[in-house]
């Protein structure tokens, strides 16, 4: 079982709830149409899943997550939106699904957390129909940049990479997606990038509060201490750095993402 660096603490889910099809899967949207069957791997609290379901209705939509923890929230989100979506626990390495059973297989911020992303892509390809599409998007943490400069945020980025790699995961997944697709034998691939930018007071408050919370009360924080990579005092200092950034009138942060559309 892979170790999920973030976990499902409230500061993490706070971040995940912000995600929509528009801000996290825009590269996929032109490929969608009503009636397509869609699988969302690593659906979390389901905000992207529900948005995608509206675009493929009346097609079948299934959201899978390795943990049951966020799925009740995902079901509630679907109910509020009146979306026909099924949510279940699933393993991306061994999907309990027939071959060629979905037109679209989507995974957002999933491959970066896996010990074997190539095998995961092969399994996603197995359940994708001929003529269908696999869509994956992952951040590249090393390409994250911010202002004002802050030693505490420098330490955050260094520590996050250390913790992720201690979990045998790849925090700089965005730049590696194309190579993983090729290693999985997938060659009809369009690679693009897009970014998140947080600069308004509301955006800074949301993102700064989320990461200040994660720095002290999440699986990431627990793992950093358990692996001997940081002390609680260091984590408190990182949280304080996020709050300084949040409160800076000229605060700005950009996160680069790699994206793939893989045609089957």
């Amino acid at each position: 079982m892979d170790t999920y660096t973030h976990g499902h603490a409230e500061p993490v889910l706070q971040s995940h709830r912000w995600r929509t099809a528009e801000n996290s899967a825009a590269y996929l949207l032109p490929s969608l149409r009503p009636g397509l069957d869609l699988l969302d791997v690593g659906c979390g609290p389901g905000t992207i899943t529900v948005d995608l379901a509206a675009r493929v209705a009346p097609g079948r939509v299934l959201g899978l997550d390795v943990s049951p923890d966020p799925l009740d929230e995902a079901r509630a989100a679907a109910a509020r939106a009146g979306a026909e979506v099924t949510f279940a626990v699933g393993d991306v390495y061994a999907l309990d699904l027939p071959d060629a059973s979905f037109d679209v297989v989507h995974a957002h911020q999933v491959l970066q957390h896996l010990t074997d992303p190539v095998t995961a892509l092969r399994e996603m390809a197995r359940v994708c129909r001929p003529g269908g599409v696999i869509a994956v998007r992952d951040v590249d943490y090393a390409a994250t940049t911010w202002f004002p400069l802050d030693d505490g945020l420098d330490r955050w980025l260094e520590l996050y990479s250390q913790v992720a790699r201690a979990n045998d995961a790849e925090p700089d997944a965005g730049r590696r997606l194309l190579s993983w697709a090729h290693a999985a034998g997938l060659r009809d691939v369009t690679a693009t990038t897009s970014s998140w930018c947080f600069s308004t007071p509301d955006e800074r408050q949301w993102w700064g509060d989320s990461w200040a919370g994660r720095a002290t009360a999440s699986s990431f924080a627990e793992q950093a201490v358990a692996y001997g990579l940081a002390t609680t005092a260091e984590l408190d200092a990182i949280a304080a750095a996020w709050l300084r950034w949040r409160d800076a009138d000229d605060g700005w942060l950009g996160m680069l993402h790699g994206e793939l559309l893989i045609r089957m």
Side-chain angles (χ1 to χ4, degrees), residues 7 65 133 173 221 261:
D65 203 276
V133 64
L261 283 178

Side-chain angles (χ1 to χ4, degrees), residues 206-256:
W206 170 78
W207 192 246
D209 286 349
S210 174
W211 262 109
R214 291 196 227 187
T216 57
S218 70
S219 294
F220 160 71
E222 294 167 1
Q223 292 162 18
V225 173
Y227 299 162
L229 296 171
T231 65
T232 54
E234 287 179 292
L235 293 172
D236 287 341
I238 288 172
W242 277 111
L243 297 181
R244 286 194 297 273
W245 173 83
R246 177 199 67 185
D247 295 337
D249 182 58
D250 50 2
W252 178 96
L253 184 141
M255 301 187 77
L256 182 71

Side-chain angles (χ1 to χ4, degrees), residues 4-169:
Y4 182 34
T5 301
H6 295 295
H8 294 96
E10 178 58 26
V12 178
L13 292 179
Q14 174 188 338
S15 168
H16 292 178
R17 292 184 193 110
W18 167 82
R19 298 172 181 176
T20 65
E22 289 81 4
N23 66 33
S24 299
Y27 71 107
L28 170 61
L29 299 186
S31 299
L32 301 183
R33 66 178 187 275
L36 296 179
D37 294 333
L38 184 146
L39 171 65
D40 191 17
V41 177
C43 63
T47 54
I48 300 175
T49 321
V50 170
D51 274 357
L52 296 177
R55 289 164 170 80
V56 300
R60 177 171 57 107
V61 177
L62 172 62
L64 297 180
D65 203 276
V66 70
S67 170
D69 293 346
L71 295 185
D72 283 344
E73 184 172 333
R75 294 183 184 105
R80 286 193 302 272
E84 293 293 329
V85 184
T86 300
F87 292 99
V89 174
D91 178 0
V92 69
Y93 298 124
L95 296 169
D96 187 18
L97 298 166
D99 293 354
S101 50
F102 287 89
D103 302 295
V104 181
V105 182
H106 171 259
H108 184 261
Q109 311 289 26
V110 172
L111 298 185
Q112 63 184 285
H113 297 295
L114 304 182
T115 57
D116 191 352
V118 173
T119 294
L121 281 168
R122 290 192 183 112
E123 182 67 351
M124 293 165 70
R126 180 185 67 79
V127 302
C128 192
R129 291 173 179 144
V133 64
I134 301 168
V136 295
R137 183 176 190 259
D138 276 276
V139 71
D140 196 302
Y141 271 92
T144 301
T145 187
W146 56 82
F147 186 85
L149 303 181
D150 192 305
D151 289 344
L153 295 184
D154 291 341
R155 176 59 179 140
W156 160 75
L157 185 56
E158 175 187 51
L159 180 61
Y160 181 82
S161 294
Q162 290 172 338
V163 172
R165 292 200 165 99
N167 291 330
D168 200 19

